[in-house]
C-alpha cells in the first residue's frame, strides 16, 4: 500500500507535523520533507518557558538528537512557505524555489491574538508562542523593571511565571472575574488566583487592556486599563489566546474558516492536502470539543491519525475522551472528561478542597444517570488510563469515588485524601448514592 | 582542598542574587572552613578540640541558615529557577574552580596524605589530619587518619546538604523520606557505628564495620587482609563476614526484586547519598546523548569484569595459602563460582530471554567472560600467580585505577562538570549487577501516565543517570532501565504529573499506555 515514490511535504515542525512525519516513517518508505521557518529541529513548544527560567537550555527542549532526522530519512528544510499551488501540486519557499508534492500536510500551528489594541506593535510588546518570541522576550527584558501581561489563560500565567523567575515585577490583567474563568469553575479559579498572589504577582481581575503607551523611541512605556489606570512597564505580554497561522494559504483554493477546514479524516477540500494541529478547523465539532483545538495532545493525536491515512489506511480523527493538563506556578492541573465552569443543566458537580487550599478535585456527573462525566484535579495527580476506561465505558460516579485510590497517581508516600473525599461526597451527595456503594 | 565544602555550600555563588541572610550564612560557613585552612597551614590552636568542634558547627550552621534563607520563604514547589544561569551549576568559572579543587582534594587524599598532615610511620599527625585528632580519639580511640578526616567531611556534606535538599523538596514526601534515609545511613552506619565499634573493640584487627557497605562496591571485602581481619575479629568479625555475604546473596536480591535497585542506590548507599545531597545542584549536567549510553555499557561492564576477576584471583591465592585455615579448597571454590554463574546465566536465558535489552546482554556477556576467566585462572595459574601475573598486582591496579581514580577523583571531583553520578553510571560494578536484576527480575518501574507527556524535557534534563526519560514518556512507555537509581526527581520535576515510581505486577511493567496511540496499538520503536 505504501508508495515509495511518493513525496509528502509537511509544513510545520511542531508536535503535529513531526508526529505525522515520524509515524509515516515507521509505516512506510515515502519521501518526507518537513519545512519550518522557526527552527532547524523539532522542539517542545510547551518547554520554552523553562529555557527562559533557566531550568533547561534550548537544546534540552529538543526530544530527538540532531542525527535522528537524517538517520530516519526525514528531510528538514528551514524556510518559510510563501504560496501553495494546489493545481500544480507545488509550494513556493521564501528563498524562491518551488517544491513539488504528492501529498501536502499543513501543520503551521497558531500565532498570538492581537485584537487591534492601540500600541500593540510597539517595541517590547509580544506574544509568547515561538522560539523567536522567546528570543525577543530575552532581549526585551534586559532592563525591564515591570511587565504587564494581558490575558488570564495558560500562556498568561506562564509568562507571569517566566518574568517573575527573573525578578521582574508582573501585573497580570485578566478580563474575566476569575483566572481562566471560562474554563475553571469559580473555586478552582479562586485557588489559582490566591496562588498567583502568593508568588507576588499583581493580579487584576475583571480588568481589560485599552491601549499601550509609547515612549519617544517607539517602545512600550505603560498600559492603560479599562479601569482608567495607567501602569508603567517596559514589556507587555499579549496572551489573549491564539489563532490559526494560515494567512499564507489565502487564495490557494484551500477552504479556510478560522483555521483550515477539514473533515473527520483531516482532509481539506482539495485532494491530497491535509491539515492537522492548531491550524485545523473541524467542519463539525467533535462531541463537546471546539472546532479548533490548540492543544499539544490533540495535535499529537491528529499527527498519528493522519499518518495512517497517508500510508493508505484512511483513518478518522477520533481523539477519545478529552484530557488536558497545565501547571500554574506550583499547582499542577489535570482534567479528564468535561467539567464545565458553569455547570450545564444535566450536570451535578462535587467539589472537595484541602484545608490548606492547594489541592482540590471537582467531579462532574450526570444528574439522572449518575454517569461520571469528568474531573478537575488541582495538586493531585490522577491516572489517565483509569479515567479513560471510566469515560469510555460510561461508568458511574460511585465507581470513581470508590476507586479513587486506584486512580491516584501521586508519588509514593504522599498523603492521600481518598477517605476525606469519599466522606465529603457521601455527605453532600448522599441522597444520590445507593447505600450499598462500597 | 578543604574548599570542598566551601564551593558546595555556594549553591548560588552570584553575589547579586544573595540576600543579607544568605551572605551572612556563607560568611559563617567560610569562617568554619577558614579554620580548617589555618589548621592545614599548621597553625597551632590552643584548645584544639574547641576550635575543631566550633568549625564543624560553623560549617553546618552556614549550610543550614543558607538553606532556610533560600527556600523557606518561597512557596513549596520545584526550585530550579536559574540553574543554567548560575556559574557553579552550569559549568561556568565557579563550576570549574569547584571541580578542580575537589579533584585536588582527592588526589591528596589518595596519594599524598602527608600534605594534609597525615603522620608517616608512626609520627604524630600535623596539619588538618592532626586537627581532627580530638574527634577521632573521642569516637574510635585512635589518632585521626586522612580517611577519618574524609569520612567526617563526607558525613557533614551529606547531613548538611541533605537538610538543604529536604527544604528544597519539602513538598515531596518521597524525597523527604528518602533523604532522611541516606542521611541516617551515612551518619549512623557509615560513620558513627563503625567508629564506636572500633573504640569498643580496640584489640581487633582492622576490618570494615559498615554493614551497608557491599561487595563489589566495597571491593576489598574479599581481600586477604580484610578476610583475615574478619576471621580474626571475634564475634563482630564473623558477624560482618556473614552479614556481608547475606547482603550480597540474600538481602540485596530480595529487596531489589520488591523495590528495584533504588533501595540501595538512592536510599542507603554512601556514594549515592553524596550524589543526592551535595551533588544535587549538579544532577542536570549528566549527558543524555545516545553515545554516552553506549560508552556507559562498555565502561561499567569493564569495571564489573575487572573487579569480579580480581576478587576471584585474590581469593584464589588466599585459598592456596596453607597458612589460611579455610574450609574450602581452590578447586571447590572455582567450581562453585562457575556453577553459580552458569546457573544465573542459564536461568536468565530460560526465563527472561524476551526481555533482554542491550544493557542486560552486556551484563550477561560480562558474566560469561567472568566464567571463562575463572576457568583460565584455574588452569593457568601457579601457586602465587594468576595468569602469570601476581594476583596482588591486579588488586593494586584495581585499587589505583578504579577504587581511587575513578570512584573518587572522577566520581566526585567531576561533579560540577559531568554531573553527580559519574561513578554510579559509568563505573559502579554493584550498579551493573543490581541493574541486571532491576531490568529482569523486579517489580519496580516508572509508570508513564497515559498520554499526558508534553515532551518538555525536564525529566531527562534532571536525570542524574543520564537516562533520556522523555524518550519513553512521550511514547506512553513505562521506564524500565538497568541504570535507573529511583531517585524520583523525574517524577518531581514533571510539570504534568506524568511519571510515577512504583512497584507492581511484573507482567504489566512493559505495557504501553493504551491511550496515546488510539485504538489498534502500533508499537513504537523510534
Amino acid at each position: 500500500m505504501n508508495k515509495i515514490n511518493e513525496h509528502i511535504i509537511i509544513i510545520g515542525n511542531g508536535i503535529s507535523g513531526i508526529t505525522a512525519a515520524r509515524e509515516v516513517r515507521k509505516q512506510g518508505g515515502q519521501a518526507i520533507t518537513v519545512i519550518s521557518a522557526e527552527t532547524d529541529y523539532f522542539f517542545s513548544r510547551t518547554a520554552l518557558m523553562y529555557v527562559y527560567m533557566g531550568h533547561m537550555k534550548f537544546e534540552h527542549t529538543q526530544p530527538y538528537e540532531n542525527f535522528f532526522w537524517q538517520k530516519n530519512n526525514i528531510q528538514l528544510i528551514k524556510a518559510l512557505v510563501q504560496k501553495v499551488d494546489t493545481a500544480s501540486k507545488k509550494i513556493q519557499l521564501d528563498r524562491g524555489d518551488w517544491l513539488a508534492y504528492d501529498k501536502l500536510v499543513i501543520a503551521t500551528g497558531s500565532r498570538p491574538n492581537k485584537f487591534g489594541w492601540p500600541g500593540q506593535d510597539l517595541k517590547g510588546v509580544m506574544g509568547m508562542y515561538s522560539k523567536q518570541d522567546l528570543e525577543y522576550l530575552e532581549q526585551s527584558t534586559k532592563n525591564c523593571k515591570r511587565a504587564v501581561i494581558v490575558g488570564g489563560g495558560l500562556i498568561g500565567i506562564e509568562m507571569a511565571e517566566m518574568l517573575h523567575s527573573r525578578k521582574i515585577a508582573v501585573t497580570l490583567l485578566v478580563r474575566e472575574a476569575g483566572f481562566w474563568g471560562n474554563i475553571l469553575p469559580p473555586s478552582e479559579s479562586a485557588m489559582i488566583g490566591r496562588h498567583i498572589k502568593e508568588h507576588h504577582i499583581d493580579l487584576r481581575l475583571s480588568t481589560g487592556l485599552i491601549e499601550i503607551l509609547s515612549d519617544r523611541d517607539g517602545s512600550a512605556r505603560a498600559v492603560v486599563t479599562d479601569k482608567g489606570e495607567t501602569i508603567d512597564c517596559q514589556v507587555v505580554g499579549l496572551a489573549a489566546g491564539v489563532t490559526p497561522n494560515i494567512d499564507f494559504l489565502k487564495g490557494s483554493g484551500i477552504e479556510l474558516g478560522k483555521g483550515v477546514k477539514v473533515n473527520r479524516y483531516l482532509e481539506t477540500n482539495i485532494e491530497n492536502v491535509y491539515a492537522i494541529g492548531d491550524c485545523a478547523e473541524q467542519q463539525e465539532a467533535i462531541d463537546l470539543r471546539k472546532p479548533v483545538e490548540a492543544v499539544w495532545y490533540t495535535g499529537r493525536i491528529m499527527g498519528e491519525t493522519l499518518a495512517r491515512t497517508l500510508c493508505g489506511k484512511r483513518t478518522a480523527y477520533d481523539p477519545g475522551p478529552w484530557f488536558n493538563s497545565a501547571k500554574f506556578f506550583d499547582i499542577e492541573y489535570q482534567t479528564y472528561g468535561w467539567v464545565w465552569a458553569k455547570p450545564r443543566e444535566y450536570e451535578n458537580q462535587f467539589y472537595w478542597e484541602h484545608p490548606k487550599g492547594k489541592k482540590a478535585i471537582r467531579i462532574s456527573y450526570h444528574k439522572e444517570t449518575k454517569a461520571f462525566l469528568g474531573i478537575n484535579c488541582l495538586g493531585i495527580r490522577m491516572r489517565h488510563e483509569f479515567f479513560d476506561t471510566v469515560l469510555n465505558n460510561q461508568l458511574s460516579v460511585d465507581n470513581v469515588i470508590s476507586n479513587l485510590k486506584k486512580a491516584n497517581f501521586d508519588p509514593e508516600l504522599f498523603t492521600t485524601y481518598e477517605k476525606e473525599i469519599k466522606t465529603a461526597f457521601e455527605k453532600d451527595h448522599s441522597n444520590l448514592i445507593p447505600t450499598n456503594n462500597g | 582542598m578543604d574548599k570542598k565544602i566551601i564551593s558546595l555550600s555556594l549553591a548560588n555563588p552570584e553575589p547579586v542574587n544573595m540576600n543579607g541572610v544568605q551572605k551572612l550564612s556563607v560568611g559563617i560557613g567560610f569562617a568554619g572552613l577558614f579554620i580548617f585552612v589555618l589548621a592545614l597551614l599548621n597553625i597551632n590552636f590552643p584548645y584544639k578540640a574547641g576550635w575543631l568542634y566550633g568549625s564543624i558547627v560553623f560549617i553546618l550552621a552556614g549550610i543550614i541558615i543558607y538553606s532556610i534563607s533560600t527556600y523557606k520563604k518561597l512557596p513549596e514547589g520545584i526550585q530550579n529557577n536559574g540553574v543554567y544561569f548560575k556559574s557553579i551549576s552550569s559549568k561556568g568559572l565557579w563550576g570549574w574552580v569547584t571541580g578542580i579543587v575537589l579533584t585536588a582534594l582527592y588526589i591528596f587524599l589518595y596519594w599524598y596524605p602527608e600534605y594534609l598532615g597525615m603522620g608517616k610511620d608512626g609520627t604524630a599527625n600535623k596539619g588538618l589530619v592532626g586537627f581532627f585528632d580530638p574527634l577521632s580519639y573521642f569516637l574510635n580511640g585512635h589518632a585521626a587518619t586522612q580517611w577519618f578526616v574524609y569520612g567526617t567531611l563526607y558525613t557533614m556534606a551529606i547531613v548538611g546538604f541533605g537538610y538543604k535538599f529536604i527544604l528544597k523538596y519539602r513538598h515531596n514526601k518521597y524525597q523527604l523520606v528518602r533523604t532522611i534515609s541516606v542521611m541516617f545511613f551515612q551518619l549512623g552506619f557509615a560513620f558513627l557505628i563503625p567508629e564506636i565499634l572500633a573504640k569498643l573493640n580496640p584489640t581487633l584487627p582492622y576490618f570494615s564495620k559498615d554493614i551497608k557497605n557491599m561487595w563489589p562496591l566495597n571491593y576489598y571485602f574479599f581481600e586477604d587482609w580484610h578476610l583475615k581481619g574478619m576471621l580474626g575479629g571475634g564475634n563482630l568479625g564473623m558477624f560482618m563476614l556473614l552479614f556481608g555475604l547475606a547482603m550480597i546473596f540474600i538481602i540485596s536480591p530480595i529487596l531489589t526484586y520488591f523495590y528495584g535497585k533504588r533501595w540501595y542506590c538512592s536510599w542507603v548507599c554512601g556514594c549515592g547519598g553524596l550524589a543526592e545531597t551535595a551533588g544535587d545542584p549538579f544532577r542536570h549536567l549528566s549527558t543524555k546523548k545516545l553515545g554516552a549510553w553506549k560508552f556507559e555499557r562498555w565502561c561499567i561492564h569493564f569495571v564489573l569484569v575487572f573487579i569480579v576477576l580480581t576478587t576471584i584471583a585474590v581469593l584464589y591465592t588466599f585459598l592456596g595459602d596453607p597458612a589460611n585455615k579455610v574450609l574450602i579448597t581452590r578447586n571447590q571454590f572455582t567450581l562453585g563460582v562457575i556453577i553459580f554463574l552458569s546457573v544465573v546465566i542459564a536461568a536468565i536465558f530460560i526465563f527472561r530471554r524476551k526481555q533482554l535489552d542491550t544493557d542486560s546482554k552486556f551484563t550477561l556477556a560480562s558474566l560469561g567472560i567472568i566464567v571463562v576467566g575463572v576457568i583460565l585462572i584455574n588452569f593457568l595459574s601457579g601457586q602465587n600467580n594468576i595468569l602469570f601475573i601476581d594476583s596482588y598486582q591486579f588488586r593494586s591496579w584495581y585499587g589505583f585505577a578504579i577504587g581511587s581514580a575513578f570512584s573518587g577523583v572522577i566520581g566526585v571531583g567531576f561533579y560540577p562538570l559531568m554531573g553527580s553520578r559519574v561513578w554510579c553510571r559509568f563505573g559502579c560494578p554493584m550498579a551493573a549487577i543490581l541493574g541486571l536484576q532491576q531490568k529482569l527480575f523486579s517489580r519496580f518501574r516508572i509508570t508513564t501516565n497515559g498520554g499526558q507527556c508534553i515532551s518538555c524535557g525536564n525529566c531527562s534534563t534532571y536525570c542524574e543517570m543520564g537516562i533520556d526519560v522523555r524518550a519513553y514518556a512521550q511514547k506512553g512507555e513505562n521506564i524500565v532501565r538497568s541504570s535507573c537509581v529511583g531517585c524520583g526527581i523525574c517524577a518531581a520535576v514533571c510539570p504534568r504529573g506524568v511519571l510515577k515510581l512504583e512497584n507492581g505486577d511484573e507482567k504489566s511493567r512493559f505495557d504501553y499506555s493504551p491511550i496515546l496511540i488510539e485504538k489498534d496499538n502500533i508499537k513504537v520503536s523510534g
Side-chain angles (χ1 to χ4, degrees), chain B residues 18-25:
Chain B
M18 276 204 234
N19 63 36
V21 184
Q22 282 171 318
K23 283 178 193 160
L24 178 75
S25 63

Side-chain angles (χ1 to χ4, degrees), chain A residues 84-140:
Chain A
V84 175
D85 180 352
T86 53
S88 62
K89 296 175 81 170
K90 279 182 181 164
I91 60 166
Q92 189 183 24
L93 304 181
D94 58 348
R95 60 189 194 198
D97 54 333
W98 290 82
L99 295 180
Y101 64 83
D102 296 301
K103 285 174 178 165
L104 180 68
V105 179
I106 299 159
T108 47
S110 313
R111 55 184 168 74
N113 279 332
K114 286 185 173 181
F115 291 121
W117 293 294
Q120 66 181 15
D121 295 318
L122 289 170
K123 278 188 262 176
V125 182
M126 72 204 70
M128 187 59 233
Y129 184 84
S130 64
K131 183 172 184 238
Q132 285 71 28
D133 289 336
L134 178 77
E135 284 159 0
Y136 189 48
L137 183 70
E138 186 71 56
Q139 186 194 325
S140 305

Side-chain angles (χ1 to χ4, degrees), chain A residues 186-204:
Chain A
S187 321
E188 287 94 316
S189 183
M191 174 187 289
I192 303 304
R194 290 196 302 272
H195 189 55
I196 290 172
K197 288 180 181 166
E198 186 187 4
H199 278 277
H200 310 292
I201 306 297
D202 173 25
L203 175 65
R204 313 254 180 124

Side-chain angles (χ1 to χ4, degrees), chain A residues 96-305:
Chain A
D97 54 333
W98 290 82
L99 295 180
Y101 64 83
D102 296 301
K103 285 174 178 165
L104 180 68
V105 179
I106 299 159
T108 47
S110 313
R111 55 184 168 74
N113 279 332
K114 286 185 173 181
F115 291 121
W117 293 294
Q120 66 181 15
D121 295 318
L122 289 170
K123 278 188 262 176
V125 182
M126 72 204 70
M128 187 59 233
Y129 184 84
S130 64
K131 183 172 184 238
Q132 285 71 28
D133 289 336
L134 178 77
E135 284 159 0
Y136 189 48
L137 183 70
E138 186 71 56
Q139 186 194 325
S140 305
T141 50
K142 283 217 166 85
N143 293 306
C144 177
K145 295 268 183 303
R146 176 170 288 278
V148 174
I149 314 290
V150 182
L154 300 182
I155 296 179
I157 194 169
E158 279 180 14
M159 282 187 96
E161 187 175 357
M162 290 162 76
L163 293 161
H164 177 67
S165 78
R166 298 281 190 97
K167 303 198 167 29
I168 294 167
V170 178
T171 297
L172 181 59
L173 304 186
V174 178
R175 204 180 48 187
E176 291 78 25
F179 172 77
W180 214 24
N182 51 350
I183 303 289
L184 291 180
S187 321
E188 287 94 316
S189 183
M191 174 187 289
I192 303 304
R194 290 196 302 272
H195 189 55
I196 290 172
K197 288 180 181 166
E198 186 187 4
H199 278 277
H200 310 292
I201 306 297
D202 173 25
L203 175 65
R204 313 254 180 124
L205 298 173
S206 309
T207 307
L209 173 68
I210 296 293
E211 72 167 311
I212 304 165
L213 303 179
S214 170
D215 68 5
R216 272 191 228 149
D217 309 327
S219 301
R221 66 168 173 85
V223 302
V224 179
T225 72
D226 59 6
K227 297 261 170 79
E229 279 174 299
T230 303
I231 304 168
D232 288 343
C233 61
Q234 294 77 45
V235 164
V236 178
L238 299 181
V242 293
T243 205
N245 176 28
I246 53 166
D247 284 352
F248 72 107
L249 294 173
K250 280 178 188 159
S252 65
I254 299 169
E255 189 189 350
L256 305 177
K258 200 181 168 210
V260 181
K261 289 277 193 184
V262 292
N263 61 17
R264 280 296 287 265
Y265 295 91
L266 305 166
E267 298 158 339
T268 66
N269 61 320
I270 310 262
E271 207 183 350
N272 292 321
V273 178
Y274 309 84
I276 52 175
D278 286 18
C279 68
E281 180 184 358
Q282 284 289 322
Q283 282 156 1
E284 279 171 50
I286 300 168
D287 60 65
L288 300 169
R289 291 161 184 262
K290 288 178 184 160
V292 177
E293 298 177 291
V295 178
W296 176 269
Y297 306 118
T298 51
R300 190 179 55 198
I301 298 171
M302 285 188 223
E304 287 172 353
T305 308

Side-chain angles (χ1 to χ4, degrees), chain B residues 73-246:
Chain B
K73 62 175 196 275
L74 298 173
E76 295 178 5
I78 296 302
Q79 315 289 358
N80 286 334
N81 287 348
V83 163
Y84 273 98
F85 303 144
K86 291 170 192 162
S87 150
I88 187 146
S89 56
S90 61
K91 290 192 262 192
L93 179 67
W94 276 101
W96 279 92
V97 168
T98 311
I100 290 165
V101 169
L102 281 172
T103 304
L105 175 76
Y106 275 90
I107 289 171
F108 282 106
L109 208 55
Y110 280 109
W111 297 301
Y112 306 103
E114 60 274 17
Y115 292 103
L116 300 175
M118 179 69 192
K120 264 192 156 177
D121 307 319
T123 57
N125 290 328
K126 295 181 298 186
L128 189 63
V129 180
F131 189 60
F132 275 73
D133 276 342
L135 182 62
S136 188
Y137 277 113
F138 174 71
L139 285 173
N140 63 36
H142 298 282
T145 63
Q146 83 267 33
W147 299 119
F148 179 81
V149 176
Y150 176 57
T152 311
L153 293 177
Y154 198 101
T155 306
M156 283 166 64
I158 288 183
V159 172
F161 292 112
Y163 177 76
K164 175 168 173 270
F165 188 91
I166 284 173
L167 281 192
K168 183 176 172 189
Y169 288 99
R170 66 189 188 278
H171 61 291
N172 188 316
K173 222 168 170 184
Y174 179 78
Q175 299 304 335
L176 201 89
V177 177
R178 187 175 66 77
T179 306
I180 290 171
S181 170
V182 294
M183 289 161 75
F184 167 78
F185 278 103
Q186 176 63 31
L187 184 64
F189 282 58
F191 185 64
L192 291 178
I193 294 174
E195 300 294 345
I196 292 166
L197 283 174
K199 188 175 192 175
L200 296 177
N201 301 278
T203 57
L204 295 184
Y206 177 78
F207 53 87
S208 168
K209 296 165 189 72
D210 177 358
I211 62 166
K212 70 169 180 55
N213 212 355
M214 265 166 84
W215 181 87
L217 175 57
N218 173 13
Y219 60 92
Y220 57 76
F221 186 82
F222 289 113
E223 287 186 6
D224 55 337
W225 63 269
H226 193 254
L227 282 176
K228 282 178 191 161
M230 288 190 290
L231 290 168
N235 290 338
L236 183 61
M238 281 316 285
F239 171 77
M240 293 306 302
L241 178 61
L242 295 176
F243 196 85
L245 290 169

Side-chain angles (χ1 to χ4, degrees), chain A residues 22-23 26-27 44 46-47 50-57 60-65 67-68 158 165-167 195 198-199 296-297 300-301 304 308 313 318-320 323-327 330 332 334-336 358 381-385 388 408-415, chain B residues 17 75-78 80-85 171-174 177 262 267 288-291 447-458 461-462 468 470 474-475 491-492 494-503 513-520 522-526:
Chain A
R22 287 179 51 251
E23 297 291 325
K26 270 184 229 158
Q27 298 167 50
S44 173
T46 49
Y50 299 109
V51 177
Y52 185 83
M53 290 162 70
H55 294 208
M56 294 196 278
K57 292 210 253 181
H60 298 126
T61 67
Q62 297 177 173
Y64 304 94
E65 284 188 65
F67 66 76
F68 177 89
E158 279 180 14
S165 78
R166 298 281 190 97
K167 303 198 167 29
H195 189 55
E198 186 187 4
H199 278 277
W296 176 269
Y297 306 118
R300 190 179 55 198
I301 298 171
E304 287 172 353
R308 294 183 191 192
K313 192 178 158 196
D318 181 11
F323 67 96
N324 202 0
S325 71
K327 191 174 182 187
D330 305 313
E332 287 173 23
Q334 292 182 335
T335 189
Y336 302 102
K358 287 200 180 176
R381 296 174 174 180
M382 294 282 186
R383 240 173 246 272
H384 191 172
E385 209 178 324
D388 204 57
N408 185 284
F409 199 73
D410 275 335
E412 293 158 296
L413 307 178
F414 270 41
T415 311
Chain B
N17 282 344
E76 295 178 5
I78 296 302
N80 286 334
N81 287 348
V83 163
Y84 273 98
F85 303 144
H171 61 291
N172 188 316
K173 222 168 170 184
Y174 179 78
V177 177
R262 57 182 170 155
W267 283 69
K288 279 79 186 177
K289 291 211 162 77
L290 188 64
T447 304
T448 290
N449 198 9
Q452 287 280 24
C453 177
I454 52 167
S455 302
C456 72
N458 273 293
T461 304
Y462 285 89
D468 189 1
R470 165 175 59 192
Q474 67 190 358
K475 287 189 266 181
C494 174
R496 294 294 193 270
V498 175
L499 302 164
K500 179 178 167 75
L501 283 69
E502 56 184 351
N503 316 304
S513 159
I515 297 146
L516 187 59
I517 294 149
E518 294 289 313
K519 311 297 180 255
D520 49 331
I522 294 180
K523 290 266 171 172
V524 194
S525 61

